[in-house]
């Protein structure tokens, strides 16, 4: 008997449906990734400004020592006293609300973050200086 199949099995794989799915996934991830806002520090990048930069001799300084203690303008203070000094600084005009944070090389990260968090809550401009 000479029976032959009329339909042959095609061994090729059709990629067109797979590329459609990939493009849909790509569009989905591009749209959803723009909706997610990263939870990070609000950094001010350098650029041009019309206001004059504050003089460094007028700027206040928070020094964080290696043992985690604080100093406000070279005067030892506790964390509560530091917050009080920063609150006094927050009452000044916007151009005078800048201070520097000078951590020692082995100072705890928690102490630096505490000062940065205080500056953020009090709407102060903090400049983190390199380690001493």
């Amino acid at each position: 008997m000479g029976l032959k199949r009329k339909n042959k099995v095609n061994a090729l794989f059709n990629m067109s449906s797979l590329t459609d799915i990939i493009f849909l996934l790509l569009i989905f991830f591009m749209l959803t990734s723009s909706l997610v806002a990263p939870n990070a520090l609000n950094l001010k990048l350098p650029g041009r400004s019309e206001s004059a930069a504050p003089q460094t001799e007028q700027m206040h300084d928070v020094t964080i020592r290696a043992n985690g203690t604080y100093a406000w303008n070279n005067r030892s203070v506790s964390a509560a006293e530091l917050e009080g000094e920063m609150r006094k600084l927050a009452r000044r005009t916007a151009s005078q609300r800048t201070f520097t944070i000078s951590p020692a090389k082995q100072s705890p990260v928690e102490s630096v973050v505490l000062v940065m968090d205080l500056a953020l809550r009090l709407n102060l401009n903090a400049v983190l200086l390199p380690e001493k």
Side-chain angles (χ1 to χ4, degrees):
M1 299 189 98
L3 297 175
K4 289 187 180 180
R5 289 187 177 177
K6 291 183 180 180
N7 296 334
K8 287 188 175 184
V9 176
N10 191 357
L12 296 176
F13 184 72
N14 192 356
M15 296 284 289
S16 63
S17 61
L18 186 62
T19 56
D20 291 342
I21 293 171
I22 290 174
F23 281 124
L24 286 173
L25 287 173
L26 179 67
I27 291 170
F28 172 75
F29 286 121
M30 284 175 51
L31 291 176
T32 57
S33 67
S34 64
L35 298 176
V36 177
N39 188 11
L41 295 174
N42 186 11
L43 299 177
K44 296 178 183 171
L45 298 176
R48 296 185 71 164
S49 69
E50 301 299 323
S51 63
Q55 300 296 325
T56 55
E57 60 267 1
Q58 297 174 355
M59 201 176 299
H60 296 282
D61 181 50
V62 175
T63 305
I64 303 170
R65 298 186 186 108
N67 59 1
T69 59
Y70 303 101
W72 176 262
N73 294 332
N74 295 327
R75 182 178 55 90
S76 292
V77 292
S78 66
E81 292 172 331
L82 178 65
E83 184 174 356
E85 293 292 334
M86 290 175 73
R87 286 190 187 280
K88 288 179 193 174
L89 184 63
R91 292 186 201 113
R92 296 186 177 187
T93 61
S95 63
Q96 296 174 336
R97 290 182 173 189
T98 304
F99 70 98
T100 60
I101 304 172
S102 305
K105 199 168 211 156
Q106 299 297 325
S107 61
V109 176
E110 293 85 9
S111 301
V112 179
V113 170
L114 177 97
V115 175
M116 292 172 70
D117 184 50
L118 277 172
L120 181 67
R121 283 192 284 135
L122 297 173
N123 199 18
L124 297 172
N125 297 323
V127 178
L128 183 62
L129 297 178
E131 295 176 341
K132 292 181 179 179

